[in-house]
């Protein structure tokens, strides 16, 4: 199938911003890393747009982009600074402090954004110790302020999070909340450790005994994580498929990869990082004490969590959920369920492949290996990562993409299962049709990949494991050497994502577009098999982008209006967004396509819908495929932040 679309992007020389973000491959990352982390630069960059900063921005070391071929001559690719910019742009452009949230997010995507912020703060905190020789005390103070400032956003979001709404959503929605607050707890814990190490070395600005104020928030975060873990745990069901989490209590039974991976990751993270929770709210402690199922005083390292994670892992690996490429398909229905059959087997698989389904499991596997000292969990994670990288069309053995994007060659390489040309994509990326859910997916993959491959990931292996120090060191060394091999691929993806930044520094959804270098109005032709397989087949249902089909497979018969019990085909109301933002499928819900979707579509169609940027006079000035569909959003910004953080974190293995 060859179809033609007009897809192009401004040439790097068109705007100064584009030049600033041009990337270089020529300098080894290790060299760049040694050159950098001038936090003064970071702080200046963060505050340049706002109030007057005591830190004037340093001159940018720009060479003329024309001098040695566009995109190859600028040694200014500074991962840490770019990551920091992605964070500060995210909070400046999308976070509203007066309401304490990202207003255009939806409940679950906000939980993920807050996770990205906390994870980035943790990464930044590590760099506090890497003090520059010429750095004055004032600069150190500002670094602390930067961290405290974004941590304030996390606290604000704690109160803005609509915990009551999320209680009535799907089980996966609840588990994003758990992961988010556990991430914040880990940030606070690690920040405290960094500060006390600095104090011990005489680098701190405070007496050694004083604990950072962020610690006071740990009980609150722990409480929310515990509440939502308990709510979600009710989704574990043993009557069908021999176990596994149900996705959504209001739909036909569907046991999908994401809910089970989340339950595994959240449970093992609770086991490792949850500090206990004596807060019995929403029940009085008397009531709680009298409920046998209710553990009134949750303690750290409760074996309940560890067992839940192991059980979820056991179920997932025996569920036959991976496809011929070794990637997780989306999930299983139970054929005949609800129509008198006694079948209880998970036998109707949705073959749709999403990036995030290959991601969340990674931090679960890391946690299980930390908790047990068993290396096979890590091997399972590496096997999956390799399958993902292969499915982006990248040859890890030779460290080159299988097909490349060559400027001047307008053919878009084939879809390889989860991307093309060595760049991670979701199936909706190329057509610009990603839903708000899908816009969050690649960032989620990168977040969990970074967790898995962080050089500090295996610092703590549970003391009860029987391994001696030599054995632990060997596991760490093998893990590090496996992670190191992903860096060139990761760098390529970060470079692509950076290329999608617009003049305000905001990241787009379709990263591959960031590597396409076409002059205005040139045509990009889709090569053979460039489009992902159609999602209209019976066994490939892209419900995250197209909405849950209103068919008996997905929706309970009693909930189907008579007009839809016969095979659907009718456009109005045949699909429903699965979750979030008040449009969750509910028993008696409004099945009309939501007004906001409709308006959104009409906003976008027309010039912007095709990726055309209008100039002030209403003429067409540039081409940008990332303006199509929902365009740039807080979710796509979270993706850009996550890929840069992943590159920064994983490239520590190179030092
Ligand atoms: C809890 O149990 C104790 C003793 O069994 C009883 O005295 C008390 O009233 C109970 N509290 C509640 C709230 O049910
Ligand atoms: C695993 O799933 C695939 C796809 O649904 C199916 O063809 C195959 O028969 C299943 N294998 C087992 C052992 O159930
Ligand atoms: C399920 O139903 C079939 C007939 O529809 C029957 O032959 C079979 O014995 C039943 N299995 C169980 C476990 O009840
Ligand atoms: C769906 O939309 C139609 C037309 O706007 C309206 O008459 C109908 O009541 C709506 N249905 C529901 C369930 O809200």
């Amino acid at each position: 199938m060859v179809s033609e679309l007009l897809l192009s992007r401004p040439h790097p020389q068109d705007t100064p911003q584009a030049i600033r973000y041009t990337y270089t491959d020529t300098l080894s990352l290790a060299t760049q890393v040694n050159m950098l982390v001038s936090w003064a630069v970071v702080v200046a960059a963060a505050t340049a747009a706002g109030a007057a900063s005591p830190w004037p921005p340093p001159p940018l070391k720009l060479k003329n982009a024309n001098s040695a071929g566009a995109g190859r001559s600028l040694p200014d690719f500074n991962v840490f600074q770019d990551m920091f910019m992605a964070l500060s742009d995210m909070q400046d452009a999308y976070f509203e402090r007066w309401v304490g949230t990202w207003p255009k997010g939806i409940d679950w995507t906000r939980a993920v954004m807050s996770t990205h912020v906390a994870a980035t703060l943790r990464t930044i905190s590590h760099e506090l110790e890497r003090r520059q020789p010429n750095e004055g005390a004032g600069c150190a103070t500002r670094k602390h302020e930067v961290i405290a400032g974004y941590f304030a956003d996390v606290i604000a979001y704690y109160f803005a999070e609509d915990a009551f709404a999320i209680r009535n959503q799907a089980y996966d929605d609840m588990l994003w909340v758990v992961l988010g607050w556990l991430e914040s707890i880990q940030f606070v814990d690690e920040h405290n450790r960094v500060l006390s190490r600095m104090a011990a070395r005489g680098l701190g600005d405070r007496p050694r005994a004083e604990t950072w104020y962020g610690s006071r928030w740990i009980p609150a975060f722990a409480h929310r994580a515990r509440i939502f873990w308990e709510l979600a745990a009710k989704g574990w069901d043993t009557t069908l498929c021999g176990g596994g989490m149900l996705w959504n209590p209001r739909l036909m039974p569907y046991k999908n990869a994401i809910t089970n991976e989340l339950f595994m990751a959240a449970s093992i993270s609770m086991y490792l990082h949850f500090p206990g929770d004596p807060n019995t709210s929403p029940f009085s402690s008397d009531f709680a004490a009298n409920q046998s199922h209710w553990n009134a005083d949750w303690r750290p390292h409760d074996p309940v969590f560890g067992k839940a994670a192991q059980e979820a892992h056991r179920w997932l690996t025996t569920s036959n959920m991976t496809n011929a490429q070794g990637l997780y398909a989306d999930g299983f229905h139970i054929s005949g369920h609800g129509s008198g059959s006694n079948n209880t087997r998970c036998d109707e698989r949705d073959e749709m492949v999403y990036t995030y389904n290959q991601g969340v499991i990674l931090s679960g596997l890391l946690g299980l290996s930390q908790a047990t000292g068993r290396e096979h969990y890590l091997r399972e994670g590496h096997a999956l990562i390799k399958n993902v990288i292969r499915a982006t069309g990248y040859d890890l053995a030779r460290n080159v993409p299988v097909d490349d994007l060559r400027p001047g060659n307008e053919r878009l390489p084939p879809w390889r299962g989860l991307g093309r040309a060595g760049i991670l994509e979701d199936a909706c990326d190329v057509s610009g049709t990603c839903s708000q859910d899908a816009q969050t997916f690649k960032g989620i993959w990168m977040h969990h990949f970074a967790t898995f491959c962080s050089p500090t990931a295996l610092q703590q292996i549970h003391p009860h494991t029987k391994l001696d120090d030599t054995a632990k060191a060997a596991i760490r060394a093998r893990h590090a050497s496996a992670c190191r091999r992903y860096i060139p691929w990761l760098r390529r993806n970060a470079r692509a994502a950076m290329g999608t930044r617009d003049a305000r520094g905001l990241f787009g959804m379709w990263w591959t577009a960031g590597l396409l270098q076409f002059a205005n109005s040139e045509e990009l032709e889709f090569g053979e098999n460039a489009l992902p397989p159609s999602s209209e087949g019976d066994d490939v249902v892209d419900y995250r982008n197209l909405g849950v089909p209103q068919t008996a497979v997905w929706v309970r018969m009693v909930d189907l209006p008579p007009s839809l019990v016969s095979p659907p085909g009718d456009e109005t109301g045949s699909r429903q967004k699965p979750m979030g933002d008040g449009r969750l499928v509910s028993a008696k819900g409004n099945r009309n396509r939501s007004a906001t979707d409709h308006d959104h579509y009409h906003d976008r169609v027309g010039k912007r819908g095709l990726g055309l940027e209008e100039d002030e006079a209403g003429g067409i000035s540039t081409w940008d495929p990332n303006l199509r569909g929902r365009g740039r959003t807080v979710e796509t910004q979270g993706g850009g932040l996550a890929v840069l953080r992943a590159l920064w974190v994983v490239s520590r293995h190179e030092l």
Side-chain angles (χ1 to χ4, degrees):
M1 172 175 44
V2 178
S3 62
E4 286 184 14
L5 282 186
L6 294 170
L7 295 170
S8 182
R9 68 185 290 275
H11 197 269
Q13 275 122 317
D14 286 356
T15 66
Q17 291 288 349
I19 290 171
R20 200 177 119 220
Y21 298 139
T22 308
Y23 173 89
T24 177
D25 261 340
T26 52
L27 215 60
S28 96
L29 194 67
T31 317
Q32 298 175 45
V33 164
N34 290 335
M35 273 165 44
L36 53 79
V37 200
S38 168
W39 269 58
V41 173
V42 167
V43 174
T47 51
S53 158
W55 307 99
L60 283 172
K61 289 188 222 117
L62 283 186
K63 288 184 195 162
N64 189 330
N66 295 322
S67 62
R72 297 280 156 199
S73 59
L74 304 175
D76 64 343
F77 181 60
N78 177 331
V79 184
F80 185 86
Q81 186 175 336
D82 286 327
M83 173 193 75
F84 191 92
M85 287 293 288
L87 171 68
S88 88
D89 288 340
M90 175 162 136
Q91 296 306 81
D92 287 350
Y94 299 109
F95 192 77
E96 290 291 351
R97 293 196 170 83
W98 70 285
V99 284
T101 191
W102 302 268
K104 295 210 167 133
I106 48 180
D107 290 324
W108 89 267
T109 69
R110 288 172 187 150
V112 172
M113 295 310 122
S114 142
T115 313
H116 286 320
V117 173
T120 309
L121 288 179
R122 197 169 149 196
T123 303
I124 291 173
S125 169
H126 280 290
E127 299 310 317
L128 277 174
E129 290 177 280
R130 207 189 295 266
R131 177 176 284 210
Q132 299 299 299
N134 56 352
E135 185 179 301
C139 187
T141 306
R142 288 305 307 265
K143 288 177 182 179
H144 289 291
E145 276 179 19
V146 164
I147 290 175
Y150 290 113
F151 183 62
D153 292 350
V154 172
I155 297 173
Y157 178 64
Y158 178 83
F159 292 102
E161 184 167 68
D162 193 347
F164 286 98
I166 299 169
R167 276 166 201 232
N168 295 315
Q169 293 173 13
Y171 293 119
D172 57 345
D173 298 78
M174 300 173 190
L175 290 163
W176 299 113
V177 174
V178 178
L179 283 185
W181 296 113
L182 290 173
E183 188 70 41
S184 291
I185 288 171
Q186 289 176 76
F187 155 64
V188 173
D189 280 346
E190 282 200 34
H191 192 53
N192 264 320
R193 281 196 287 273
V194 166
L195 293 179
S196 61
R197 276 200 300 269
M198 288 175 69
R201 288 164 54 207
L203 291 174
D205 310 314
R206 76 193 65 212
R208 197 171 169 177
E210 194 183 322
T211 312
W212 186 53
Y213 77 88
S215 309
R216 293 175 217 152
W217 289 93
I218 284 188
F221 299 164
H223 180 61
R224 187 160 298 165
R226 192 268 294 172
I227 290 278
F228 277 90
W229 185 86
E230 278 198 315
L231 286 169
K234 295 186 207 297
W236 187 265
D237 161 76
T238 52
T239 63
L240 301 168
C241 317
M245 289 285 287
L246 290 164
W247 169 44
N248 188 324
R250 282 164 292 279
L251 295 177
M252 287 296 273
Y254 185 54
K255 296 205 171 175
N256 55 0
I258 197 60
T259 313
N260 284 281
E261 292 181 14
L262 278 164
F263 189 57
M264 170 183 157
S267 298
I268 200 63
S269 201
M270 286 293 282
Y271 178 74
L272 293 168
H273 307 295
F274 169 70
D277 179 24
N279 180 347
T280 55
S281 165
F283 305 105
S284 74
S285 54
D286 267 7
F287 176 88
N290 284 3
Q291 305 292 307
S292 56
H293 69 278
W294 191 271
N295 188 342
D297 186 4
W298 282 98
R299 296 177 193 285
H301 310 300
D302 194 313
V304 164
F305 300 126
K307 283 191 192 122
Q310 277 177 311
E311 185 61 10
H313 176 253
R314 189 202 57 77
W315 185 82
L316 256 179
T317 49
T318 54
S319 67
N320 185 32
M321 212 163 331
T322 48
N323 68 13
Q325 285 184 289
L327 302 173
Y328 275 91
D330 192 76
F332 277 108
H333 281 107
I334 292 108
S335 66
H337 189 88
S339 50
S341 152
N342 60 7
N343 178 38
T344 58
R345 292 187 55 230
C346 268
D347 57 356
E348 221 173 79
R349 194 164 84 181
D350 180 354
E351 298 296 329
M352 190 66 205
V353 176
Y354 298 109
T355 54
Y356 78 152
N357 280 336
Q358 329 304 324
V360 174
I361 191 172
L362 296 175
S363 54
L365 290 168
L366 173 77
L368 281 169
S369 107
Q370 285 175 296
T372 62
R374 300 240 164 108
E375 199 176 2
H376 70 83
Y377 295 115
L378 298 175
R379 283 197 294 271
E380 185 185 332
H382 286 296
L384 180 58
I385 292 170
K386 284 177 191 156
N387 293 340
V388 167
I389 293 179
R390 190 177 308 113
T392 66
Y394 193 85
D395 181 349
L396 258 185
R398 296 190 303 129
N399 253 330
V400 285
V402 177
D403 327 276
D404 211 346
L405 294 156
R406 279 158 296 174
N409 177 353
E410 301 87 351
R411 293 223 139 187
L412 195 63
W415 172 252
R416 296 286 179 187
L418 211 50
R420 74 188 78 237
I423 308 297
L424 192 64
E425 287 185 17
D426 270 298
C428 56
D429 276 356
V430 65
S431 49
T433 53
C434 295
S435 67
Q436 190 157 12
D437 292 348
Q439 283 199 321
T440 320
F441 289 175
K442 292 201 298 293
I444 291 168
W445 193 88
M446 284 293 167
H447 172 82
H448 292 273
F449 170 68
T451 303
F452 184 80
C453 266
S454 155
T456 57
L458 289 175
Q459 258 173 8
Q460 287 144 343
I461 294 180
H462 205 275
H464 296 316
T465 62
K466 296 193 179 74
L467 300 171
D468 61 18
D469 287 349
T470 322
K472 286 181 187 168
I475 291 178
R476 284 189 197 109
R478 281 190 290 271
H479 186 59
S481 102
C483 287
R484 215 175 278 129
R485 292 186 55 212
Y486 311 137
I487 296 172
W489 172 84
L490 184 56
R491 193 178 295 158
R492 180 175 171 81
N493 277 266
R495 169 189 165 189
M498 298 242 295
T500 68
R501 299 200 283 193
D502 68 6
R504 295 166 301 165
L506 302 182
F507 288 81
M509 173 70 203
W510 184 32
W511 293 348
T512 310
L515 293 183
L516 302 174
Q517 301 206 351
F518 292 96
N520 290 346
S521 316
E522 266 184 355
E523 287 187 11
L524 176 68
E525 189 185 313
F526 278 46
E528 205 67 37
N529 303 320
L531 292 175
S534 155
S535 63
E536 291 305 313
D538 278 351
D539 58 345
V540 184
V541 180
D542 182 4
Y543 67 104
R544 290 293 183 182
N545 286 294
L546 301 173
V548 169
Q550 299 295 293
T551 64
V553 172
W554 290 83
V555 181
R556 291 175 191 163
M557 293 296 264
V558 290
D559 295 338
L560 284 174
S563 62
L564 288 174
V565 171
S566 50
D570 144 19
E571 244 314 294
T572 43
S574 70
R575 301 273 195 183
Q576 181 86 24
K577 290 286 181 195
M579 54 188 181
D581 72 12
R583 287 184 283 125
L584 181 78
V585 175
S586 68
K588 303 272 181 298
N590 178 355
R591 290 206 166 66
N592 286 340
R593 190 180 283 279
S594 92
T596 52
D597 272 6
H598 192 73
D599 297 345
H600 200 82
Y601 179 76
H602 283 281
D603 272 358
R604 296 290 178 177
V605 146
K607 289 178 180 142
R608 278 173 66 79
L610 297 171
L612 298 174
E613 183 77 286
E614 287 175 58
D615 64 22
E616 278 171 13
I620 294 165
S621 64
T622 57
W623 289 80
D624 180 353
N626 276 309
L627 287 174
R628 297 170 308 160
R630 298 180 52 84
R632 289 179 173 77
T633 61
V634 63
E635 288 86 9
T636 65
Q637 185 68 17
L641 172 59
V643 65
L644 288 172
R645 192 179 78 85
L647 176 56
W648 174 258
V649 166
V650 181
S651 63
R652 283 3 1 245
H653 284 294
E654 274 192 343
L655 295 180

